[in-house]
Amino acid sequence: MHIPIQISPDNPEPLYHQIQVQLKELILSGHLPEGTLLPSIREFAKDLSCSVITIRRVYQDLENEGILRTRQGTGTFVAKVGTVTREQYRKEAVVEAMKDALRSGLRVGCTIEELKQLFEEALLEITNEGQGTLVNRQRNTDMGNPEMKGSNTEVPGLAKAAVEPEEGGSGNE
């Protein structure tokens, strides 16, 4: 089985970390469902042109996190990952990406108000790109949440939470 992982020796992150992050993402996003048999350590190392020790470390770390399980003589499989874990990972990935973007904005001198405006503009632009697909998906997902009903461009609390400075602040308030 080929697993779509891209590694780069030019990336400052260690190879094992590049592989681990991408493999974890594939599993938690559902692209590699529960029970999927992963390649053997040797096979995966050969496919990625890296060391067997690197893949062994990735498999062990993900097994320690409960994402993989190994059966002696059978192989390494994707473990059952609960909905809560998947949801937590999904939110953490988005929040981290937003924090990176906000830090970039603060570094170039944007104010909190400018960042809020840019966020709203970007969200509206992305929503319009999908010709309502994103909006409809969000609306269908959140039908049980009275705060979300009828919302098509705002995600309550998201813009506010996204620009709250971390403790210690940036000094741009």
Side-chain angles (χ1 to χ4, degrees):
M1 161 187 240
H2 173 74
I3 297 180
I5 291 184
Q6 302 293 319
I7 57 173
S8 170
D10 298 329
N11 188 325
E13 293 287 332
L15 285 180
Y16 84 89
H17 189 261
Q18 292 178 51
I19 297 165
Q20 184 175 344
V21 166
Q22 291 178 59
L23 185 56
K24 184 176 182 179
E25 184 177 296
L26 288 168
I27 293 167
L28 293 176
S29 67
H31 286 91
L32 290 176
E34 175 187 352
T36 300
L37 175 64
L38 298 180
S40 71
I41 290 172
R42 288 185 192 280
E43 182 183 348
F44 205 12
K46 183 180 177 188
D47 287 349
L48 295 176
S49 301
C50 68
S51 162
V52 168
I53 295 168
T54 300
I55 300 302
R56 182 176 293 130
R57 180 174 179 184
V58 169
Y59 279 15
Q60 286 175 342
D61 287 353
L62 292 178
E63 191 167 5
N64 290 340
E65 288 185 44
I67 294 172
L68 297 179
R69 59 184 157 79
T70 301
R71 284 192 228 140
Q72 191 66 32
T74 309
T76 302
F77 298 85
V78 174
K80 180 176 181 163
V81 181
T83 306
V84 172
T85 303
R86 285 185 200 278
E87 186 65 18
Q88 180 181 355
Y89 174 78
R90 186 177 69 89
K91 287 180 181 179
E92 285 174 2
V94 171
V95 168
E96 282 308 309
M98 287 176 23
K99 283 180 180 179
D100 288 344
L102 292 168
R103 284 185 192 105
S104 294
L106 291 171
R107 274 194 302 273
V108 298
C110 291
T111 66
I112 299 294
E113 287 305 314
E114 287 174 314
L115 290 171
K116 286 179 183 179
Q117 181 63 36
L118 290 169
F119 173 82
E120 292 293 330
E121 288 172 12
L123 183 59
L124 185 59
E125 186 177 313
I126 289 169
T127 301
N128 289 337
E129 281 175 8
Q131 299 172 354
T133 305
L134 178 66
V135 171
N136 291 334
R137 190 173 341 136
Q138 183 66 39
R139 196 175 287 151
N140 291 339
T141 302
D142 298 314
M143 289 305 269
N145 183 346
E147 290 180 358
M148 298 298 288
K149 283 186 181 171
S151 173
N152 64 355
T153 59
E154 279 186 46
V155 179
L158 192 54
K160 181 179 180 207
V163 293
E164 292 290 329
E166 292 181 6
E167 207 166 298
S170 65
N172 286 3
E173 289 92 67

